[in-house]
Amino acid sequence: MKKLFFVLTALVALTLSIHATTVSVYLTNGHSLDGKLIYHDDTLLVVEPDVNLAKPIRFYPAKVLYFVISGIGRFDTVDDRFVPTEKALQKLAKQQQQEEVHTRQMRTLAANPNETIGRALRSTGSVAMAVGIPSLVAGTVLVAIGNIKPDVTKMDAAQTAKSAEARGKCAAAGYVLMPIGAALTIVGVPLYVHGKRIAQLDIRYTGNGAGVAINF
């Protein structure tokens, strides 16, 4: 169990420092300090205080009661070592698993650039269609409402003017939304389709050169 803790602590330390994690340190003299976590392991804690131009401070277990890392949890001083609580240890393990999954995904994407490009195009196309189609539909409905001719024989002059103004606003809004929605839809559909095709393009290198196979 101790070996597992030391391995997890070492592996997570670099990740924590990169993401500018905040930490609260509670000292044996009754004082406390908040700052940005620079580094930590089981015998050393380095913190950059939340004070302008303050230099990083090194803390050792002898001077610390405990410290709390945001998003991770509490580390107590036990036998001159910083030891995470059970809850913090679980979060460390979970974070390490997430980092490993992310690393595997990045390696997979790097090995297949077509998949990366295809995903980007599909994502862009999906967003464009998600905005474009509703805008196109809403614009069409507003234009239709704006062009409805009411029975003015049953309305007085004030009601007629108010109705005309409302229909004019609907039509104006529709004439703005329709072309925007149409443009986004027209752009989004081919982006999504081409992105899917590129993602299915499998480039294989052989001794005689590069071969291309399209998977349907």
Side-chain angles (χ1 to χ4, degrees):
M1 186 64 184
K2 288 184 178 180
K3 289 184 178 180
L4 175 62
F5 161 64
F6 292 142
V7 170
L8 287 174
T9 301
L11 289 174
V12 173
L14 179 59
T15 302
L16 293 174
S17 64
I18 291 174
H19 293 292
T21 306
T22 58
V23 60
S24 298
V25 185
Y26 298 86
L27 306 175
T28 55
N29 60 10
H31 295 132
S32 62
L33 177 142
D34 295 327
K36 181 175 71 175
L37 178 64
I38 302 300
Y39 173 84
H40 91 90
D41 57 25
D42 63 315
T43 58
L44 174 63
L45 172 66
V46 183
V47 179
E48 182 180 307
D50 290 337
V51 180
N52 291 335
L53 303 179
K55 295 182 178 180
I57 302 175
R58 299 166 69 91
F59 294 100
Y60 297 94
K63 300 294 184 180
V64 178
L65 283 176
Y66 66 93
F67 61 89
V68 180
I69 300 175
S70 62
I72 298 298
R74 174 169 167 162
F75 289 68
D76 296 318
T77 298
V78 179
D79 296 331
D80 289 329
R81 292 185 180 276
F82 296 130
V83 180
T85 62
E86 187 65 27
K87 186 175 181 180
L89 186 58
Q90 291 174 359
K91 289 188 176 182
L92 284 171
K94 183 177 180 180
Q95 187 181 70
Q96 182 61 29
Q97 290 174 354
Q98 292 173 344
E99 290 292 333
E100 291 175 354
V101 170
H102 177 71
T103 300
R104 287 197 297 268
Q105 290 176 342
M106 294 303 295
R107 287 176 179 174
T108 300
L109 293 176
N112 187 3
N114 292 325
E115 177 67 20
T116 306
I117 297 171
R119 283 189 179 185
L121 291 177
R122 287 204 309 268
S123 177
T124 303
S126 297
V127 172
M129 289 189 293
V131 176
I133 294 175
S135 298
L136 179 59
V137 173
T140 303
V141 172
L142 287 172
V143 169
I145 293 174
N147 286 281
I148 293 176
K149 301 299 182 182
D151 187 359
V152 296
T153 60
K154 297 181 180 180
M155 295 186 289
D156 56 28
Q159 290 176 327
T160 301
K162 187 175 181 179
S163 175
E165 181 182 2
R167 287 186 287 106
K169 290 180 179 179
C170 286
Y175 288 133
V176 173
L177 285 174
M178 279 183 64
I180 294 176
L184 288 173
T185 302
I186 291 172
V187 171
V189 171
L191 279 175
Y192 183 86
V193 172
H194 286 297
K196 188 174 181 180
R197 288 179 177 175
I198 290 175
Q200 293 174 336
L201 190 65
D202 182 19
I203 299 180
R204 300 173 183 172
Y205 292 92
T206 64
N208 297 325
V212 178
I214 300 179
N215 301 318
F216 295 97

